[in-house]
Amino acid sequence: MSDFPQMSFQQRTSQIMSQSQVQKMSQTQIMSLNLLAMSSADLRNEIYSYAAKNPALEIKSDSLESGVKSSRAEVSASSRFSDNTHYGSASASGSEASDNFQAALESNADEREALTDHLEHQLNAMKLSDEEKALCLKLIYNLDEKGFHILAPISFLDGENPLHNEEFLNKCLCLVQHLDPLGTCTNNYLESLLVQAKISGNASRLTLFFLEKQEHFDLLNPPQPAKIQKKIADYLLGQKKLKFTGENEKQLEKNDYSIEEIEDSLNFIRGLDPYPARNFGSTTTNYVSPDVIVRRNEGFSSDLPSDSMQEAEPEFVVTFAREFLPKLEISKEYSSLIKSAEIKEGDNGEQAERKRAELKFARNSVNEAKVFIESVLYRESTVLKAAQEIVSAQINFFRKGSRYLAPLRQKDIAEKLGLHEATISRMANSKYLACEWGIFPIGYFFTNAIGTAKTKVESEDEKNDSKKSKALPSKDSPSDGENSVLSKEAVKYEIEQILEEHKNDKKALSDQKISDILAQKGIKVARRTVAKYRSQLNINSSYER
């Protein structure tokens, strides 16, 4: 009897642990599927957001950002586990009022001139070389609604062009910065203020000193001349001891600035605009970064014997575009903290309790960071494998172009990879594939079968019977004898080609006539379907052409 309660307790404990493991696996899977459904842009934002919340996850490098550093890099190890965080929340009525106000703002159309249009008009009026104009346009369309860089300007330089060096980049940056409004095409508000001050030509050395660095600008808080004067003296004394004195700081050491001069600098800075683009409208520009790149393999040869084709290099090389995403790693500091932690069972007291809390926090953070990295890698692996299967299924498209796009279902790819169809659907969401024919949404390659092309050789009786005979696919038809059906995009392409061939006809082709011509090519498409595809191609009806 005495053993029964103990066995029951052990069984319950085992069940609880098992349920906990199942729940943990479920959470991991949910994270993996959520990341899989994200576009590259959304995943970038999610990575930076997650890295800001989890100090054990660090961004090792980011090719699209110049000098990206985590905000916690300057935080000491001792303060990372402190309890000095303060939390607050708005009331329900306050949140509702804020939402209503935001909705009212968003309901009004922004009819102001777009910043990009305003800058481009000025640029077109300048005498620039083709290289200068091209880079300046890239810099202009790289600005956010505040007029600051989205991507690091250096990323727009062409490494293979000898003209594209740092001096050339600085020249183009200066050209855009001098356009109206002054101070756009900068990294942040402080650099914008400094550019405006330099362009004005009448900024004092003290003013330039305040705008040179963030730590100098912080001396102006609070903006009280007497306190600022004392802060300047203390700062310069500290820099002199550290031997970090810059050129402006050396000039400042030779002068004792009066209260009046500090007030003049304050008034001058107040006259500058930290956000010079605020008076202009914003245009929504969607930048598409391919998730997968497909390149034709120059080393591939179709002349090899069929037996050796399996060992030969593939015709197309499929690679995942990793350069568009930050590289992640586990914090070495947190890993070493876990390894070096020594807490004996007999240790008590506040210090031991703090160590236990820090160790628990570090372990949880590292484990969660590992799960996040594994989820990102799962996304990469799934997208890459699916893309490889798509290339294999749509090989004629990659060889000859969109005219040869074959019918393909998401279910087909799911079965080949042993995944659920919903997983492939998530994979295809907001992902792009780049190849020699352009950049396409991955969903573009999934298309239903539309027409049936007759590929069997007809008998002599059928050929002689004009009522029963149907034309074989012509040599210009995308049907190659292997596929008896055509994709939606292939039919659209055929419609475009037919209209292009007959564009100079005295009478425009009707939808029924187009359907008849398609039938002659072995493509069975109803008139209503032709009308639908013609409309999707933005081509007017025969009455309007």
Side-chain angles (χ1 to χ4, degrees):
M1 294 289 291
S2 61
D3 293 337
F4 179 77
Q6 184 178 0
M7 290 176 62
S8 177
F9 174 79
Q10 290 175 350
Q11 290 175 352
R12 288 198 300 269
T13 303
S14 177
Q15 290 176 355
I16 292 172
M17 291 178 63
S18 177
Q19 291 173 359
S20 177
Q21 290 175 354
V22 171
Q23 185 178 6
K24 184 176 181 181
M25 287 180 62
S26 176
Q27 291 173 349
T28 302
Q29 290 173 347
I30 290 172
M31 176 181 286
S32 298
L33 293 176
N34 286 339
L35 296 186
L36 180 62
M38 291 182 182
S39 64
S40 294
D42 291 339
L43 182 58
R44 282 181 59 84
N45 293 334
E46 180 66 17
I47 287 173
Y48 276 99
S49 175
Y50 196 88
K53 294 184 292 185
N54 189 338
L57 181 69
E58 292 187 347
I59 296 174
K60 184 178 181 181
S61 62
D62 188 347
S63 60
L64 297 187
E65 297 281 350
S66 178
V68 173
K69 295 182 179 179
S70 173
S71 60
R72 61 181 179 278
E74 300 176 358
V75 181
S76 63
S78 60
S79 63
R80 291 187 179 185
F81 304 103
S82 65
D83 297 325
N84 297 327
T85 305
H86 297 278
Y87 299 92
S89 59
S91 63
S93 58
S95 297
E96 183 179 1
S98 176
D99 293 341
N100 292 338
F101 180 71
Q102 184 67 22
L105 289 177
E106 294 176 353
S107 63
N108 294 322
D110 189 353
E111 299 179 353
R112 298 173 299 175
E113 182 183 14
L115 175 67
T116 51
D117 293 342
H118 184 70
L119 294 175
E120 187 175 355
H121 290 161
Q122 298 175 70
L123 192 70
N124 291 334
M126 301 172 67
K127 292 184 178 180
L128 302 174
S129 67
D130 293 340
E131 292 285 349
E132 289 173 341
K133 186 174 182 180
L135 183 55
C136 287
L137 283 174
K138 289 180 180 179
L139 294 173
I140 287 174
Y141 280 91
N142 184 49
L143 302 180
D144 61 15
E145 67 278 2
K146 296 179 181 179
F148 303 147
H149 303 305
I150 298 174
L151 302 179
I154 197 171
S155 62
F156 295 104
L157 292 180
D158 184 358
E160 298 180 357
N161 190 334
L163 181 63
H164 281 213
N165 51 35
E166 188 175 353
E167 182 180 356
F168 179 70
L169 175 62
N170 290 334
K171 180 181 179 181
C172 292
L173 284 170
C174 186
L175 285 172
V176 179
Q177 289 170 355
H178 277 70
L179 298 177
D180 178 68
L182 299 176
T184 61
C185 203
T186 52
N187 287 310
N188 49 50
Y189 77 93
L190 190 58
E191 184 182 353
S192 178
L193 294 175
L194 180 61
V195 167
Q196 294 174 53
K198 289 181 177 179
I199 293 175
S200 70
N202 59 351
S204 65
R205 184 176 287 107
L206 179 62
T207 301
L208 297 178
F209 166 78
F210 286 136
L211 301 178
E212 185 181 35
K213 299 178 182 178
Q214 185 64 50
E215 57 183 329
H216 296 178
F217 191 74
D218 291 340
L219 299 176
L220 300 178
N221 187 23
Q224 299 175 8
K227 292 185 178 180
I228 295 174
Q229 187 180 46
K230 185 178 184 305
K231 284 183 178 182
I232 293 175
D234 294 341
Y235 175 80
L236 294 176
L237 180 62
Q239 293 297 105
K240 187 175 181 180
K241 291 180 179 179
L242 296 173
K243 298 181 180 180
F244 288 158
T245 309
E247 189 62 32
N248 280 342
E249 294 163 346
K250 290 180 181 178
Q251 295 294 329
L252 288 174
E253 288 179 353
K254 301 176 182 178
N255 302 278
D256 292 328
Y257 286 94
S258 63
I259 297 295
E260 290 74 16
E261 290 173 306
I262 294 175
E263 286 181 344
D264 289 341
S265 290
L266 282 172
N267 292 331
F268 183 91
I269 294 173
R270 289 191 182 104
L272 305 177
D273 191 346
Y275 303 105
R278 72 172 86 200
N279 295 322
F280 292 86
S282 59
T283 55
T284 303
T285 304
N286 296 321
Y287 296 92
V288 175
S289 299
D291 298 84
V292 178
I293 300 174
V294 180
R295 295 185 177 90
R296 191 181 294 272
N297 188 356
E298 300 298 334
F300 176 81
S301 176
S302 58
D303 298 330
L304 292 173
S306 58
D307 294 340
S308 62
M309 289 292 286
Q310 299 298 329
E311 300 178 359
E313 295 183 359
E315 184 175 357
F316 292 94
V317 179
V318 185
T319 56
F320 187 83
R322 295 184 181 88
E323 62 271 20
F324 295 104
L325 295 174
K327 295 182 180 179
L328 305 176
E329 66 178 6
I330 302 297
S331 169
K332 295 179 180 178
E333 184 178 344
Y334 272 66
S335 298
S336 61
L337 174 64
I338 295 174
K339 293 179 181 178
S340 61
E342 294 183 1
I343 304 176
K344 299 179 181 179
E345 294 184 1
D347 290 348
N348 294 315
E350 184 178 348
Q351 186 175 2
E353 188 65 27
R354 180 180 178 83
K355 285 185 178 180
R356 290 190 182 91
E358 290 180 359
L359 181 59
K360 181 179 179 181
F361 177 80
R363 282 175 176 167
N364 290 340
S365 298
V366 169
N367 290 336
E368 291 173 0
K370 287 180 179 179
V371 170
F372 186 84
I373 292 176
E374 289 172 359
S375 299
V376 173
L377 294 177
Y378 171 79
R379 175 187 183 274
E380 175 182 333
S381 174
T382 304
V383 172
L384 183 60
K385 289 178 181 178
Q388 290 171 339
E389 291 295 339
I390 289 173
V391 171
S392 178
Q394 300 285 10
I395 191 67
N396 284 331
F397 167 88
F398 292 97
R399 287 173 178 168
K400 306 174 185 178
S402 59
R403 183 182 185 184
Y404 297 88
L405 192 68
L408 182 65
R409 301 175 301 171
Q410 293 181 355
K411 182 179 179 181
D412 300 330
I413 301 299
E415 289 177 351
K416 289 183 178 181
L417 296 178
L419 299 173
H420 194 277
E421 187 176 349
T423 302
I424 299 302
S425 176
R426 289 187 176 92
M427 180 281 306
N429 180 49
S430 303
K431 311 291 190 308
Y432 292 87
L433 181 149
C435 63
E436 61 180 299
W437 308 112
I439 298 179
F440 300 87
I442 288 182
Y444 172 85
F445 298 96
F446 297 108
T447 177
N448 295 328
I450 301 299
T452 301
K454 187 172 181 181
T455 57
K456 280 182 62 177
V457 178
E458 299 177 16
S459 64
E460 290 296 328
D461 293 335
E462 289 175 327
K463 290 180 181 179
N464 295 331
D465 189 349
S466 58
K467 293 183 179 181
K468 294 182 180 180
S469 66
K470 295 180 182 178
L472 292 170
S474 69
K475 63 181 180 179
D476 296 327
S477 173
S479 178
D480 55 4
E482 297 175 359
N483 298 324
S484 61
V485 290
L486 297 176
S487 70
K488 172 181 172 182
E489 295 301 324
V491 175
K492 283 184 179 181
Y493 180 88
E494 289 296 325
I495 293 174
E496 280 187 303
Q497 294 303 306
I498 291 171
L499 291 173
E500 180 64 23
E501 291 171 3
H502 295 269
K503 65 180 180 181
N504 295 324
D505 292 358
K506 292 182 179 179
K507 185 178 180 181
L509 292 179
S510 65
D511 294 333
Q512 183 58 54
K513 186 61 178 176
I514 295 173
S515 177
D516 294 341
I517 296 174
L518 288 172
Q520 293 175 8
K521 293 189 174 188
I523 306 172
K524 298 179 180 178
V525 181
R527 180 195 60 78
R528 288 181 297 177
T529 305
V530 171
K532 175 183 176 182
Y533 290 168
R534 176 183 50 74
S535 177
Q536 292 176 358
L537 291 168
N538 295 321
I539 299 175
N540 295 329
S541 66
S542 58
Y543 299 101
E544 299 173 338
R545 291 200 304 271

